[in-house]
Amino acid sequence: MAAATTATGPRRMGRRSRERLYKAIALLLLLPGILWVLMPTVWMFSAAFSRLEQIMRWPPDLWPDPWVFSNFYEGFAFLPFGRYFMNSTQIAVIRVMGQVLAASMAGYAFARMQAPGKNLLFILVLSTLMLPYTVTMIPQYIIFQRLGWIDTYLPLIIPHFDGGAFFIFLFRQFFRSIPDELTEAARLDGCSYFGIYWRMMLPLSLPVIAASSILIFQNSWQELLQPLIFLHDNSKYTIPLGLARFRSSYGSSPWHLIMAVSIGAALPPVVLFFIGQRFLLSGIVVSDK
Amino acid sequence: MSGMAAVGAGGAERPRLSLRWREAINFYLFLAPWILGFLAFTAIPIIASLFLGFTKYNAISPPDFVGLKNFRFLYDDQIFWKSLRVTLTYTVVFVPLQLVSSLLLAMLLNLRVPSMRTIRTIYYLPSILPTVVTGLVWIWLFNADFGLINFFLYKAFEIRGPNWLGSERWVMSAVIISGLWALGGGVIIFLAALQNVPGEFYEAAELDGANILHRFWHVTVPMISPVILYNLMIAMILSLQVFTRIYVLTQGGPNYASYFYNLYVYDNAFSYLKLGLASAQAWILFVLILLLTVLALRTSGRWVHYSGGV
């Protein structure tokens, strides 16, 4: 025991340098990892600017020779990827707006209001996280068929207007972190619940709105199973569905074009991420304080 | 007298009661989108799919009640067991690997080092890219003859790499490797949790002479244990439902070696139009997930600490 206490003396002296040592080790671990993380992206870029012959070369040569810029033009013209791009954009934008609105409303209710049945409902919301999509998939297909929604974008959008458990939880956590005094004063002034939500809570929750918009956009943009089930008409395809079909119908053919299109497909979520990045961490409140 | 008292009491109470009523009504109004969506697209479909699980249904003629026949069929179906085994193998190997590497990565990314923001962005990049896109890229990275993976194996160790996606032996490893490449979502949540651990806790631990491992076990892990539990459960639920990556990478092959559970459900439902059978399959997975989740929650009491009420 005595040995341990004396040992802390010199240790504490070296605290600064020890911190520095940890950081150096961390960087040493992180930097080679970057090569690994970037490798697929680098390959994608290389292939997108190469001729097809270069992709199938041993040993692999990542520097395009020659640089082929027409891959992008050809890729987007080959199948109507320009149209798929617009389809995906339309779906994602509408879904983000509706889902963020619904999730913020439900999150506000759970964070700031009391009502009989509230706890039970909250457990019900969270338990939907456990539900495999395949369970609801088939009855949803039957419902949408009856409604005449097959080959429209409604099945990809409307079911998400419930907000989604994860996003409801995010908004609830965020709203709970806003001090009560702010809203109490407004309530005493006779401000309605909707007024508080719309004029006070939403403007304050910009970080969580940004974070959930990014994540919902990503979810929508990369969804494959739902478009696969609900969209049959070629001209209605989304980008992931178009790419997946491109692969199966053209087998081993124009991979350089696929990669050019893939870069285009990856661009919107990446750009959105860079714009909203600084909100991503501050919008996610996991602890209760 | 008593009547007057009652009226008086009632009069005093009425505004408070009506306030509470107003709050409750508002609560349900705000929750209306979720409740309606839940009923229409979750609750009713759950019940419908349970019913369909006991029928033979091809989407054209009306469902035909067949009792337990679907379940008996699956019990004798080798491909069903194969797909279940593939999915469970993947889950058992992948989830612990993913959880541990996400937490380690989050801790590294949490250090205050110059240009950390850029490093974080780079590490998050794989999970921003659409799964279909990265799946297409991995097909080529795993290519036996021209792929970068085999090229590195050859350069570094003079090993002739396997035909990753074309061999029954190696395809699962390929699926796991490509999965571990995109750690993103879990890392973000771990990172958010780590940033919420008060710095004083570490300082206090350090004053007590705790080294970096002690601090990890006795401060970090207990403080973020609810988030570890959350990430564990989500990782488990998601890996039992893998679909998109496999659909692009292997389509279940070769010889069903990567035929994940949901691929078979999808095929039964929409390739062979056996909607009753597919519903029964979906329900089996649902029950499996429920059991695993309950198990995780039950055992969590021993290692999860809640600092405040969640």
Coordinates of all heavy atoms in Angstrom, one line a residue, chain A residues 205-276:
Chain A
S205 N -33.1 23.0 -31.6 CA -32.6 21.6 -31.9 C -31.9 21.5 -33.2 O -31.9 20.4 -33.8 CB -33.7 20.6 -31.7 OG -34.8 21.0 -32.6
L206 N -31.4 22.5 -33.7 CA -30.7 22.5 -35.0 C -29.7 21.3 -35.1 O -29.6 20.6 -36.1 CB -30.0 23.8 -35.3 CG -29.5 24.0 -36.8 CD1 -30.6 23.9 -37.8 CD2 -28.7 25.2 -36.9
P207 N -28.9 21.1 -34.1 CA -27.9 20.0 -34.2 C -28.5 18.7 -34.4 O -28.1 17.9 -35.3 CB -27.1 20.0 -32.9 CG -27.4 21.4 -32.3 CD -28.7 21.8 -32.8
V208 N -29.6 18.4 -33.7 CA -30.2 17.1 -33.8 C -31.0 17.0 -35.1 O -31.1 15.9 -35.8 CB -31.0 16.7 -32.6 CG1 -32.2 17.5 -32.4 CG2 -31.5 15.2 -32.6
I209 N -31.6 18.1 -35.6 CA -32.2 18.1 -36.9 C -31.2 17.8 -38.0 O -31.5 17.0 -38.9 CB -32.9 19.5 -37.2 CG1 -34.1 19.7 -36.3 CG2 -33.4 19.6 -38.6 CD1 -34.8 21.0 -36.4
A210 N -30.0 18.5 -37.9 CA -29.0 18.2 -38.9 C -28.5 16.8 -38.8 O -28.4 16.1 -39.9 CB -27.8 19.2 -38.7
A211 N -28.2 16.3 -37.6 CA -27.7 14.9 -37.5 C -28.7 13.9 -38.0 O -28.4 13.0 -38.8 CB -27.4 14.6 -36.0
S212 N -30.0 14.1 -37.7 CA -31.0 13.1 -38.1 C -31.2 13.2 -39.6 O -31.5 12.2 -40.3 CB -32.2 13.1 -37.3 OG -32.7 14.3 -37.0
S213 N -31.2 14.5 -40.1 CA -31.4 14.6 -41.6 C -30.3 13.9 -42.4 O -30.6 13.2 -43.3 CB -31.3 16.1 -42.0 OG -32.4 16.8 -41.4
I214 N -29.0 14.0 -41.9 CA -27.9 13.3 -42.6 C -28.2 11.8 -42.5 O -28.1 11.1 -43.6 CB -26.6 13.6 -41.9 CG1 -26.2 15.1 -42.1 CG2 -25.5 12.7 -42.4 CD1 -25.0 15.5 -41.3
L215 N -28.5 11.3 -41.4 CA -28.6 9.8 -41.2 C -29.8 9.3 -42.0 O -29.7 8.3 -42.6 CB -28.7 9.5 -39.7 CG -27.5 9.8 -38.9 CD1 -27.7 9.5 -37.4 CD2 -26.3 9.0 -39.4
I216 N -30.9 10.0 -42.0 CA -32.1 9.6 -42.7 C -31.8 9.7 -44.2 O -32.2 8.7 -45.0 CB -33.4 10.4 -42.4 CG1 -33.7 10.2 -40.9 CG2 -34.5 10.1 -43.3 CD1 -34.8 11.2 -40.4
F217 N -31.2 10.7 -44.7 CA -30.8 10.8 -46.1 C -30.0 9.6 -46.5 O -30.3 9.0 -47.5 CB -30.1 12.1 -46.3 CG -29.8 12.4 -47.8 CD1 -30.7 13.1 -48.6 CD2 -28.7 11.8 -48.4 CE1 -30.5 13.3 -49.9 CE2 -28.5 12.0 -49.8 CZ -29.4 12.8 -50.5
Q218 N -29.0 9.3 -45.7 CA -28.1 8.2 -46.0 C -29.0 6.9 -46.1 O -28.8 6.1 -47.0 CB -27.1 8.0 -44.9 CG -25.9 8.8 -45.1 CD -24.9 8.7 -43.9 OE1 -25.0 7.7 -43.2 NE2 -24.0 9.6 -43.8
N219 N -29.8 6.7 -45.1 CA -30.7 5.5 -45.1 C -31.5 5.4 -46.4 O -31.5 4.3 -47.0 CB -31.6 5.5 -43.9 CG -30.9 5.2 -42.6 OD1 -29.7 4.8 -42.6 ND2 -31.6 5.4 -41.5
S220 N -32.1 6.5 -46.7 CA -33.0 6.5 -47.8 C -32.2 6.3 -49.1 O -32.5 5.5 -50.0 CB -33.7 7.8 -47.9 OG -34.4 7.9 -49.1
W221 N -31.0 7.0 -49.2 CA -30.2 6.9 -50.4 C -29.7 5.6 -50.7 O -29.5 5.2 -51.9 CB -29.1 8.0 -50.3 CG -28.4 8.2 -51.6 CD1 -27.2 7.6 -52.0 CD2 -28.7 9.1 -52.6 NE1 -26.8 8.1 -53.2 CE2 -27.8 9.0 -53.6 CE3 -29.8 10.0 -52.8 CZ2 -27.8 9.8 -54.8 CZ3 -29.9 10.7 -54.0 CH2 -28.9 10.6 -54.9
Q222 N -29.4 4.8 -49.7 CA -28.7 3.5 -49.9 C -29.7 2.3 -49.8 O -29.3 1.2 -50.0 CB -27.6 3.3 -49.0 CG -28.0 3.1 -47.5 CD -26.8 2.6 -46.8 OE1 -25.9 2.0 -47.3 NE2 -26.8 2.8 -45.5
E223 N -31.0 2.5 -49.5 CA -31.9 1.5 -49.3 C -32.0 0.6 -50.6 O -32.2 1.2 -51.7 CB -33.3 2.0 -49.0 CG -34.4 1.1 -48.9 CD -34.2 0.0 -47.8 OE1 -33.8 0.4 -46.7 OE2 -34.5 -1.2 -48.1
L224 N -31.9 -0.7 -50.5 CA -32.0 -1.6 -51.7 C -33.3 -2.4 -51.6 O -34.0 -2.6 -52.6 CB -30.8 -2.4 -51.8 CG -30.9 -3.4 -53.0 CD1 -30.9 -2.7 -54.3 CD2 -29.7 -4.4 -53.0
L225 N -33.5 -3.0 -50.4 CA -34.6 -4.1 -50.4 C -36.0 -3.5 -50.7 O -36.7 -4.1 -51.5 CB -34.6 -4.7 -49.0 CG -35.6 -5.8 -48.7 CD1 -35.5 -6.9 -49.7 CD2 -35.4 -6.3 -47.3
Q226 N -36.3 -2.3 -50.2 CA -37.6 -1.8 -50.5 C -37.8 -1.4 -51.9 O -38.8 -1.8 -52.5 CB -37.9 -0.6 -49.5 CG -38.1 -1.1 -48.1 CD -38.3 0.1 -47.2 OE1 -38.6 1.2 -47.6 NE2 -38.2 -0.2 -45.9
P227 N -36.9 -0.7 -52.6 CA -37.0 -0.5 -54.0 C -37.1 -1.8 -54.8 O -37.9 -1.9 -55.7 CB -35.8 0.3 -54.4 CG -35.3 1.0 -53.1 CD -35.7 0.0 -52.0
L228 N -36.4 -2.8 -54.4 CA -36.4 -4.0 -55.0 C -37.8 -4.6 -55.0 O -38.2 -5.2 -56.0 CB -35.4 -5.0 -54.3 CG -34.8 -6.2 -55.0 CD1 -34.0 -5.7 -56.2 CD2 -33.8 -6.9 -54.0
I229 N -38.5 -4.5 -53.9 CA -39.8 -5.1 -53.8 C -40.9 -4.2 -54.5 O -41.7 -4.7 -55.2 CB -40.2 -5.2 -52.3 CG1 -39.2 -6.2 -51.6 CG2 -41.6 -5.8 -52.2 CD1 -39.3 -6.2 -50.1
F230 N -40.8 -2.9 -54.3 CA -41.9 -2.1 -54.7 C -41.8 -1.4 -56.0 O -42.7 -0.8 -56.5 CB -42.1 -1.0 -53.6 CG -42.5 -1.5 -52.2 CD1 -41.7 -1.2 -51.1 CD2 -43.5 -2.4 -52.1 CE1 -42.0 -1.8 -49.9 CE2 -43.8 -2.9 -50.8 CZ -43.0 -2.6 -49.7
L231 N -40.6 -1.4 -56.6 CA -40.4 -0.7 -57.9 C -40.0 -1.7 -59.0 O -39.0 -2.4 -58.9 CB -39.3 0.3 -57.8 CG -39.5 1.4 -56.8 CD1 -38.3 2.4 -56.8 CD2 -40.7 2.2 -57.1
H232 N -40.9 -1.9 -60.0 CA -40.6 -2.8 -61.0 C -40.3 -2.2 -62.3 O -39.6 -2.7 -63.2 CB -41.8 -3.8 -61.2 CG -42.2 -4.5 -59.9 ND1 -43.4 -5.1 -59.7 CD2 -41.5 -4.7 -58.7 CE1 -43.4 -5.6 -58.4 NE2 -42.3 -5.3 -57.9
D233 N -40.9 -1.0 -62.5 CA -40.8 -0.2 -63.8 C -39.4 0.4 -63.8 O -39.0 1.1 -62.9 CB -41.9 0.9 -63.8 CG -41.7 1.8 -65.0 OD1 -40.8 1.6 -65.8 OD2 -42.6 2.6 -65.2
N234 N -38.7 0.0 -64.9 CA -37.3 0.4 -65.1 C -37.1 1.9 -64.9 O -36.1 2.3 -64.3 CB -36.9 0.1 -66.5 CG -35.5 -0.4 -66.6 OD1 -34.6 0.2 -66.1 ND2 -35.3 -1.5 -67.3
S235 N -38.0 2.7 -65.3 CA -37.8 4.2 -65.3 C -38.0 4.7 -63.8 O -37.6 5.9 -63.6 CB -38.7 4.9 -66.2 OG -40.0 4.7 -65.8
K236 N -38.5 3.9 -62.9 CA -38.7 4.4 -61.6 C -37.6 4.0 -60.6 O -37.6 4.4 -59.5 CB -40.0 3.7 -61.0 CG -41.3 4.0 -61.8 CD -41.9 5.3 -61.3 CE -43.0 5.9 -62.2 NZ -44.1 4.9 -62.4
Y237 N -36.6 3.3 -61.1 CA -35.5 2.7 -60.3 C -34.8 3.8 -59.5 O -34.7 5.0 -60.0 CB -34.5 2.0 -61.1 CG -34.8 0.6 -61.5 CD1 -36.1 0.1 -61.3 CD2 -33.9 -0.2 -62.2 CE1 -36.4 -1.2 -61.7 CE2 -34.2 -1.5 -62.6 CZ -35.4 -2.0 -62.3 OH -35.8 -3.2 -62.7
T238 N -34.3 3.5 -58.3 CA -33.4 4.3 -57.6 C -32.0 4.0 -57.9 O -31.7 3.0 -58.6 CB -33.6 4.1 -56.1 OG1 -33.3 2.8 -55.8 CG2 -35.0 4.4 -55.6
I239 N -31.0 4.8 -57.5 CA -29.6 4.6 -57.8 C -29.2 3.2 -57.3 O -28.6 2.4 -58.1 CB -28.8 5.7 -57.2 CG1 -28.8 6.9 -58.1 CG2 -27.4 5.2 -57.0 CD1 -27.6 7.0 -59.1
P240 N -29.4 2.8 -56.1 CA -28.9 1.5 -55.7 C -29.5 0.3 -56.5 O -28.8 -0.6 -56.9 CB -29.3 1.4 -54.2 CG -29.5 2.7 -53.8 CD -30.0 3.5 -54.9
L241 N -30.8 0.5 -56.7 CA -31.5 -0.6 -57.5 C -30.9 -0.6 -58.9 O -30.6 -1.7 -59.4 CB -33.0 -0.3 -57.5 CG -33.9 -1.4 -58.2 CD1 -33.6 -2.7 -57.6 CD2 -35.3 -1.0 -58.1
G242 N -30.7 0.5 -59.5 CA -30.1 0.6 -60.9 C -28.7 -0.1 -60.9 O -28.4 -0.9 -61.8
L243 N -27.9 0.2 -59.9 CA -26.6 -0.3 -59.8 C -26.6 -1.8 -59.6 O -25.9 -2.6 -60.3 CB -25.8 0.3 -58.7 CG -25.2 1.7 -59.0 CD1 -24.6 2.3 -57.7 CD2 -24.1 1.6 -60.0
A244 N -27.5 -2.3 -58.7 CA -27.6 -3.7 -58.5 C -28.0 -4.5 -59.7 O -27.5 -5.5 -60.0 CB -28.5 -4.0 -57.3
R245 N -29.0 -3.9 -60.4 CA -29.5 -4.5 -61.7 C -28.4 -4.5 -62.8 O -28.2 -5.4 -63.5 CB -30.7 -3.8 -62.2 CG -31.9 -4.0 -61.3 CD -32.7 -5.2 -61.8 NE -34.0 -5.3 -61.1 CZ -34.4 -6.3 -60.5 NH1 -33.6 -7.4 -60.4 NH2 -35.6 -6.3 -59.9
F246 N -27.7 -3.4 -62.8 CA -26.6 -3.1 -63.8 C -25.6 -4.3 -63.6 O -25.2 -4.9 -64.6 CB -25.9 -1.8 -63.4 CG -25.0 -1.2 -64.5 CD1 -25.4 -1.2 -65.8 CD2 -23.8 -0.7 -64.1 CE1 -24.6 -0.6 -66.8 CE2 -23.0 -0.1 -65.0 CZ -23.4 -0.1 -66.4
R247 N -25.3 -4.6 -62.4 CA -24.3 -5.7 -62.1 C -24.9 -7.0 -62.6 O -24.2 -7.8 -63.3 CB -24.1 -5.8 -60.6 CG -23.5 -7.2 -60.2 CD -23.2 -7.2 -58.7 NE -23.1 -8.5 -58.1 CZ -22.5 -9.5 -58.5 NH1 -21.8 -9.5 -59.6 NH2 -22.5 -10.6 -57.8
S248 N -26.2 -7.3 -62.3 CA -26.6 -8.7 -62.6 C -26.9 -8.8 -64.1 O -26.7 -9.9 -64.7 CB -27.8 -9.0 -61.8 OG -28.8 -8.0 -61.7
S249 N -27.3 -7.7 -64.8 CA -27.7 -7.9 -66.1 C -26.5 -7.8 -67.1 O -26.5 -8.3 -68.2 CB -28.8 -6.9 -66.6 OG -28.4 -5.6 -66.2
Y250 N -25.5 -7.1 -66.7 CA -24.3 -6.9 -67.6 C -23.1 -7.7 -67.1 O -22.0 -7.6 -67.7 CB -24.0 -5.5 -67.7 CG -25.1 -4.7 -68.5 CD1 -26.1 -4.1 -67.7 CD2 -25.1 -4.7 -69.8 CE1 -27.1 -3.5 -68.4 CE2 -26.2 -4.1 -70.5 CZ -27.2 -3.5 -69.8 OH -28.2 -2.9 -70.4
G251 N -23.3 -8.6 -66.1 CA -22.3 -9.5 -65.7 C -20.9 -8.9 -65.5 O -20.7 -8.0 -64.7
S252 N -20.0 -9.3 -66.4 CA -18.6 -8.8 -66.2 C -18.3 -7.6 -67.1 O -17.1 -7.2 -67.1 CB -17.7 -10.0 -66.5 OG -17.8 -10.3 -67.9
S253 N -19.3 -7.1 -67.8 CA -18.9 -6.0 -68.8 C -18.3 -4.7 -68.2 O -17.2 -4.7 -67.7 CB -20.0 -5.8 -69.8 OG -20.9 -6.8 -69.8
P254 N -19.1 -3.6 -68.3 CA -18.4 -2.3 -68.2 C -18.1 -1.9 -66.8 O -18.7 -0.9 -66.3 CB -19.3 -1.4 -68.9 CG -20.7 -2.0 -68.8 CD -20.5 -3.5 -68.4
W255 N -17.2 -2.5 -66.1 CA -17.0 -2.1 -64.7 C -16.4 -0.7 -64.5 O -16.7 -0.1 -63.5 CB -16.0 -3.1 -64.0 CG -16.7 -4.4 -63.6 CD1 -16.9 -5.5 -64.3 CD2 -17.5 -4.6 -62.4 NE1 -17.6 -6.4 -63.6 CE2 -18.0 -5.9 -62.4 CE3 -17.7 -3.7 -61.3 CZ2 -18.8 -6.4 -61.4 CZ3 -18.5 -4.3 -60.2 CH2 -19.0 -5.6 -60.3
H256 N -15.7 -0.3 -65.5 CA -15.1 1.1 -65.3 C -16.3 2.1 -65.3 O -16.3 3.1 -64.6 CB -14.1 1.4 -66.4 CG -14.7 1.2 -67.8 ND1 -15.4 0.0 -68.1 CD2 -14.5 1.9 -68.9 CE1 -15.7 0.1 -69.4 NE2 -15.2 1.2 -69.9
L257 N -17.4 1.8 -66.1 CA -18.5 2.7 -66.1 C -19.3 2.6 -64.8 O -19.8 3.6 -64.3 CB -19.4 2.3 -67.3 CG -18.8 2.4 -68.7 CD1 -19.9 2.1 -69.7 CD2 -18.1 3.7 -68.9
I258 N -19.4 1.3 -64.3 CA -20.1 1.2 -63.0 C -19.4 2.0 -61.9 O -20.1 2.7 -61.1 CB -20.1 -0.3 -62.6 CG1 -20.9 -1.2 -63.6 CG2 -20.7 -0.5 -61.2 CD1 -21.1 -2.6 -63.1
M259 N -18.1 2.0 -61.9 CA -17.4 2.8 -60.9 C -17.5 4.3 -61.1 O -17.6 5.0 -60.1 CB -15.9 2.4 -60.9 CG -15.6 1.0 -60.4 SD -16.3 0.9 -58.7 CE -17.2 -0.6 -58.9
A260 N -17.6 4.7 -62.3 CA -17.9 6.1 -62.6 C -19.3 6.5 -62.0 O -19.4 7.5 -61.3 CB -17.8 6.5 -64.1
V261 N -20.2 5.7 -62.3 CA -21.6 6.0 -61.8 C -21.6 5.9 -60.2 O -22.2 6.7 -59.6 CB -22.6 4.9 -62.4 CG1 -23.9 5.1 -61.7 CG2 -22.8 5.2 -63.9
S262 N -20.8 4.9 -59.7 CA -20.7 4.7 -58.3 C -20.2 6.0 -57.6 O -20.7 6.4 -56.5 CB -19.8 3.6 -57.9 OG -20.4 2.4 -58.3
I263 N -19.3 6.7 -58.2 CA -18.8 7.9 -57.6 C -19.9 8.9 -57.6 O -20.1 9.6 -56.5 CB -17.6 8.4 -58.4 CG1 -16.4 7.5 -58.1 CG2 -17.2 9.9 -58.0 CD1 -15.1 7.9 -58.8
G264 N -20.6 9.0 -58.7 CA -21.8 9.9 -58.7 C -22.8 9.6 -57.6 O -23.3 10.4 -56.9
A265 N -23.0 8.3 -57.4 CA -24.0 7.8 -56.4 C -23.5 8.1 -55.0 O -24.3 8.3 -54.1 CB -24.2 6.3 -56.6
A266 N -22.2 8.1 -54.8 CA -21.7 8.3 -53.4 C -21.6 9.8 -53.1 O -21.6 10.2 -51.9 CB -20.3 7.7 -53.3
L267 N -21.7 10.6 -54.1 CA -21.4 12.1 -53.9 C -22.5 12.7 -53.0 O -22.1 13.4 -52.0 CB -21.4 12.8 -55.2 CG -20.3 13.9 -55.3 CD1 -19.0 13.4 -54.9 CD2 -20.3 14.5 -56.8
P268 N -23.8 12.6 -53.2 CA -24.7 13.4 -52.4 C -24.6 13.1 -50.9 O -24.5 14.0 -50.1 CB -26.1 12.9 -52.9 CG -25.8 12.5 -54.3 CD -24.5 11.9 -54.3
P269 N -24.6 11.8 -50.4 CA -24.4 11.6 -49.0 C -23.1 12.1 -48.5 O -23.0 12.7 -47.3 CB -24.5 10.1 -48.8 CG -24.4 9.5 -50.1 CD -24.8 10.5 -51.1
V270 N -22.0 12.1 -49.3 CA -20.7 12.5 -48.8 C -20.7 14.1 -48.7 O -20.3 14.6 -47.6 CB -19.6 12.1 -49.8 CG1 -18.3 12.8 -49.4 CG2 -19.4 10.6 -49.7
V271 N -21.3 14.7 -49.7 CA -21.4 16.2 -49.6 C -22.2 16.6 -48.4 O -21.8 17.5 -47.6 CB -22.0 16.8 -50.9 CG1 -22.3 18.2 -50.7 CG2 -21.0 16.6 -52.0
L272 N -23.3 16.0 -48.2 CA -24.2 16.3 -47.1 C -23.5 16.1 -45.8 O -23.6 16.9 -44.8 CB -25.5 15.4 -47.2 CG -26.6 15.9 -46.3 CD1 -27.2 17.2 -46.9 CD2 -27.7 14.8 -46.3
F273 N -22.7 15.0 -45.7 CA -22.0 14.7 -44.5 C -21.0 15.8 -44.2 O -20.9 16.3 -43.0 CB -21.3 13.4 -44.6 CG -20.4 13.1 -43.5 CD1 -20.9 12.7 -42.3 CD2 -19.0 13.3 -43.6 CE1 -20.0 12.4 -41.2 CE2 -18.1 13.0 -42.5 CZ -18.7 12.6 -41.3
F274 N -20.3 16.3 -45.2 CA -19.3 17.4 -45.0 C -20.0 18.7 -44.5 O -19.4 19.4 -43.7 CB -18.4 17.6 -46.2 CG -17.3 16.6 -46.3 CD1 -17.3 15.6 -47.3 CD2 -16.3 16.6 -45.4 CE1 -16.3 14.7 -47.3 CE2 -15.2 15.7 -45.5 CZ -15.3 14.7 -46.4
I275 N -21.1 18.9 -45.1 CA -21.8 20.2 -44.7 C -22.3 20.1 -43.2 O -22.1 21.0 -42.4 CB -23.1 20.4 -45.6 CG1 -22.6 20.7 -47.0 CG2 -23.9 21.6 -45.1 CD1 -23.8 20.7 -48.0
G276 N -22.8 18.9 -42.8 CA -23.5 18.8 -41.5 C -22.6 18.1 -40.5 O -23.1 17.9 -39.3

